[in-house]
Amino acid sequence: MARIACLGMMVPALLAAAPASAADAARDAAWAERLGWGPSAAADGGPAPGSDAWLRHQLSDPPAPLPPAAQAQIDAMRISRERVAALVVETDAMQRDLKAITDPDQRKAAREAYQKTLNGLADEARQRFVLRALYSPDQLRERMTWFWFNHFNVQAGKRDIRAMVGDYEETIRAHALGRYRDLLEATLRHPAMLRYLDNDQNAKGKINENYAREIMELHSMGVGSGYSQQDVQELARILTGVGVDQKPDAPKLKPELQPLYLRAGLFEFNPARHDFGTKHFLGHEIKGSGFAEVEQALDLIADSPATAHHVSLRIATYFMGDTPPPALVDRMAAKFRQSHGDIAEVLRTMIRSREFGGAATGGFKEPVGYTLSAVRLAYGDRDVTNAKPIINWMRQMGEGLYDHETPDGYDLSSAAWSGPGQMATRFDIARQIGGGAARLFQSPDAAPDAPPPPSPPPLLKGSPVIAARMATLGKPTLAALGQARSPAEWNSLYFSSPEFMHR
């Protein structure tokens, strides 16, 4: 079984290569809980979570393969087999065609087909995210992928982003442990971000400040960090001409502008739409030169001490809860600047700190973390063939994948997810997960009224997973568990316990 651990053990003891006791097993699960999506019921022959070898693999090694069954599901998806540009061109053609239809019934059918196609592509992305979170050995990368998606949030429901969101997440995953500067530019070049924050409509004489404002306020320096409204306006001018083009041919440009034109997939920099005037941004003068201005601006943003602090604070809050120690955040920010925004080094500074090792918990679980940790613990050794119930559970608790409307992403604070209504929903979901969750093992194409295959509840009580955690449970939780009349009820009570609500 996977090595499992309780929270609160110190860093020096985590360097042991393998657990030799229940305390070691408990320690390992603490790291699986705090740095991944929770310990899994699946067998694990790799290094002990938290050890030097484990951390080196998580931060430095190439991504490890998924189990064959999970990978086969992903390989069968359209978003895995077809390029994002082709998907966007196809759905755009469907939209144009339906506008030309005059017959009401035919038009309705065409609209439904268009929406079904877009929804299907977004649902594939959600299912792929869940499968990777459940089964990937690269748990820290998967946690950081969700963190960065939330940090650079886009909403799938806007415009045609449903066709792009899977590729957008893949772009983030590829840079999740790299350099912040590269991640910032990768999101800037992605059509999902440019569509979501309307920069594809930002042009000389028709300035749109939406994206420029969110880069400064949310993605980098943070509110109150010293930049001005003029900086936002100047960045918007710098970003003119940065947009999306799905036509196969380049636009006709004046000869002097042709060398400045850039195209990569759906991304386009069109110099005919760019403001070439001189800008004054963050105390620097930037001469009109085309996309090179964007590169200069991103360098200034990424090198700003305010960016180092804001990003470090967000990471620490995500992994440590509402009030991470200011001294640790300062050290993370210093490492950010010293390493030129190396995300892995910033994480290493946090993980190997006295404050992180000594913290009692990693904070209250948000809905995504709660759901994934429960499913991994209960069913990590089985092949989930239908991720839809997991996706629906997250949505019922208010943290649907790719659903957040505003650019600020989902709230990281405990208060956002611990209200009475939220907890009542969690208790119901705990009951479903603890009771066997049969629909997880049903074909995703099964009819809604089709009976799911038999799925007995997992036997968590007395398992090595739970045995390692029993000493960490409070008296009220132990008393409640002692009253359970069946394995399903025991599981539901455990998943409803205050201890399981925290990392």
Side-chain angles (χ1 to χ4, degrees):
M1 298 296 288
R3 300 182 180 94
I4 316 299
C6 69
L7 300 174
M9 303 302 289
M10 302 300 104
V11 168
L14 292 168
L15 303 181
S21 66
D24 293 329
R27 182 186 59 226
D28 288 354
W31 289 98
E33 194 78 79
R34 295 182 65 184
L35 296 176
W37 290 118
S40 171
D44 178 13
S51 68
D52 282 345
W54 181 87
L55 190 58
R56 183 167 56 250
H57 163 72
Q58 295 291 318
L59 295 178
S60 304
D61 290 352
L66 293 173
Q71 189 61 55
Q73 290 189 59
I74 292 173
D75 290 343
M77 296 176 179
R78 288 192 70 190
I79 59 173
S80 299
R81 294 182 285 106
E82 301 178 42
R83 298 176 64 87
V84 63
L87 296 174
V88 171
V89 169
E90 175 191 326
T91 53
D92 182 67
M94 293 177 70
Q95 185 183 41
R96 290 199 311 272
D97 291 345
L98 77 85
K99 289 180 178 179
I101 297 173
T102 56
D103 180 84
D105 292 337
Q106 293 180 5
R107 185 182 177 90
K108 179 182 178 182
R111 182 180 294 107
E112 290 175 350
Y114 170 68
Q115 293 296 335
K116 182 179 180 180
T117 299
L118 284 177
N119 289 336
L121 295 172
D123 285 341
E124 283 190 348
R126 294 182 177 103
Q127 292 160 21
R128 183 171 64 183
F129 171 83
V130 168
L131 289 171
R132 285 180 168 153
L134 292 180
Y135 299 114
S136 174
D138 303 310
Q139 285 288 291
L140 184 53
R141 181 183 296 276
E142 293 306 312
R143 277 286 302 274
M144 287 303 293
T145 297
W146 178 242
F147 167 80
W148 286 123
F149 190 103
N150 196 54
H151 186 81
F152 295 100
N153 183 59
V154 303
Q155 186 204 19
K158 183 173 181 178
R159 298 171 70 178
D160 58 350
I161 293 174
R162 283 168 288 178
M164 308 173 183
V165 71
D167 187 77
Y168 181 68
E169 185 178 86
E170 286 293 270
T171 298
I172 289 175
R173 179 175 283 104
H175 294 278
L177 299 173
R179 294 192 181 276
Y180 169 83
R181 166 66 175 78
D182 297 336
L183 174 59
L184 180 63
E185 181 164 350
T187 56
L188 178 145
R189 284 175 169 262
H190 202 281
M193 177 61 76
L194 297 173
R195 285 269 208 259
Y196 175 62
L197 289 176
D198 305 317
N199 206 80
D200 58 342
Q201 302 172 20
N202 183 23
K204 180 180 180 180
K206 192 180 178 183
I207 298 293
N208 188 307
E209 297 180 5
N210 288 357
Y211 185 31
R213 179 174 297 104
E214 305 309 349
I215 286 179
M216 304 298 290
E217 180 176 317
L218 299 176
H219 300 168
S220 62
M221 297 175 66
V223 177
S225 58
Y227 69 87
S228 66
Q229 174 59 23
Q230 182 180 352
D231 288 319
V232 172
Q233 294 169 346
E234 294 293 83
L235 181 58
R237 292 178 61 210
I238 291 169
L239 292 173
T240 51
V242 175
V244 179
D245 188 358
Q246 55 204 54
K247 296 185 293 293
D249 300 322
K252 294 181 179 180
L253 299 171
K254 296 178 181 179
E256 63 270 21
L257 294 180
Q258 291 175 5
L260 298 175
Y261 179 76
L262 295 176
R263 180 78 178 269
L266 295 170
F267 167 80
E268 176 188 66
F269 173 73
N270 187 339
R273 295 167 53 84
H274 182 65
D275 179 348
F276 279 89
T278 299
K279 291 91 176 177
H280 296 87
F281 178 64
L282 295 180
H284 293 76
E285 183 178 271
I286 297 180
K287 297 287 189 181
S289 58
F291 193 76
E293 300 170 43
V294 178
E295 301 281 9
Q296 293 176 60
L298 294 184
D299 287 343
L300 292 172
I301 290 169
D303 289 342
S304 168
T307 296
H309 186 271
H310 179 66
V311 171
S312 296
L313 177 60
R314 293 274 297 178
I315 291 174
T317 302
Y318 180 61
F319 283 100
M320 298 184 69
D322 295 345
T323 55
L328 174 57
V329 174
D330 289 343
R331 295 201 304 277
M332 292 168 64
K335 178 59 70 173
F336 186 106
R337 298 194 300 274
Q338 177 190 347
S339 66
H340 302 288
D342 188 320
I343 298 163
E345 288 302 309
V346 174
L347 285 169
R348 197 187 312 274
T349 298
M350 179 190 72
I351 294 166
R352 287 304 188 219
S353 70
R354 171 181 50 79
E355 296 93 332
F356 187 84
T361 76
F364 195 82
K365 292 178 184 176
E366 78 286 6
V368 169
Y370 173 79
T371 306
L372 292 173
S373 63
V375 174
R376 274 175 60 84
L377 184 56
Y379 307 108
D381 56 349
R382 298 179 62 182
D383 295 328
V384 169
T385 55
N386 180 18
K388 291 179 181 178
I390 299 173
I391 295 164
N392 289 336
W393 291 332
M394 295 172 181
R395 185 172 284 142
Q396 287 171 32
M397 289 186 282
E399 197 178 23
L401 299 177
Y402 325 136
D403 288 351
H404 193 69
E405 293 186 11
T406 53
D408 54 349
Y410 288 111
D411 196 330
L412 298 181
S413 70
S414 299
W417 307 113
S418 57
Q422 167 78 201
M423 300 312 295
T425 303
R426 287 197 185 201
F427 297 154
D428 180 60
I429 291 170
R431 179 186 56 78
Q432 296 178 56
I433 296 174
R439 296 199 181 278
L440 295 180
F441 311 103
Q442 186 179 39
S443 168
D445 299 321
D449 57 349
S455 178
L459 300 177
L460 294 183
K461 181 182 179 181
S463 70
V465 174
I466 299 301
R469 292 184 157 184
M470 292 302 289
T472 70
L473 303 181
K475 290 182 179 180
T477 297
L478 292 172
L481 292 173
Q483 300 299 313
R485 294 165 294 182
S486 67
E489 187 174 356
W490 199 98
N491 299 339
S492 301
L493 289 169
Y494 179 73
F495 289 138
S496 300
S497 67
E499 292 85 353
F500 189 78
M501 297 293 173
H502 291 79
R503 298 193 186 282

